[in-house]
Amino acid sequence: MTDKPLQPQLQVTLSNEEDFRGYLYSVFIEELERAKQDAGTNKKIMNTTEMSSYLGISPTTLRQYEKLGLPFSSIGKRKFYDVDDCRRWITKQQID
């Protein structure tokens, strides 16, 4: 017989079910926000590398989209993309 650490048991009863659901919801939301932050998807403004990664395309393809009208701003030689503006532009494009 192996010595296993005792695992705490959780018991949900009708009297604490609502509290338990609230707790699970808060944990889920917290972890979701952490995952978004880790992935960088909660950023409103992204640079070229971040935006191409976010869209799942190469920086070269991103530059081609710019020539087609993808909105961006620049400061000096650095380009910045508003995620919401880019998302709107992409959804308005028609695929032939």
Side-chain angles (χ1 to χ4, degrees):
M1 186 163 118
T2 60
D3 291 331
K4 291 183 181 179
L6 294 176
Q7 297 290 327
Q9 293 190 2
L10 176 65
Q11 184 175 16
V12 178
T13 63
L14 291 177
S15 63
N16 70 358
E17 181 180 3
E18 193 62 36
D19 290 337
F20 182 65
R21 286 176 183 264
Y23 171 74
L24 287 178
Y25 178 80
S26 66
V27 168
F28 176 76
I29 295 299
E30 185 178 305
E31 290 302 314
L32 181 61
E33 288 302 317
R34 186 176 298 139
K36 287 165 87 178
Q37 207 166 37
D38 290 346
T41 59
N42 63 338
K43 293 178 76 173
K44 183 162 174 48
I45 303 295
M46 295 185 178
N47 64 30
T48 301
T49 303
E50 292 168 330
M51 182 55 78
S52 61
S53 177
Y54 177 77
L55 295 175
I57 60 175
S58 70
T60 302
T61 301
L62 187 65
R63 286 189 291 278
Q64 290 171 347
Y65 286 0
E66 290 170 12
K67 292 175 184 176
L68 296 172
L70 181 74
F72 68 93
S73 298
S74 58
I75 299 174
K77 293 183 179 183
R78 296 197 61 184
K79 293 180 182 176
F80 298 94
Y81 306 84
D82 182 296
V83 174
D84 294 333
D85 289 347
C86 291
R87 191 178 292 141
R88 276 190 291 276
W89 182 84
I90 289 169
T91 58
K92 288 181 181 178
Q93 302 312 300
Q94 182 176 352
I95 299 173
D96 294 328

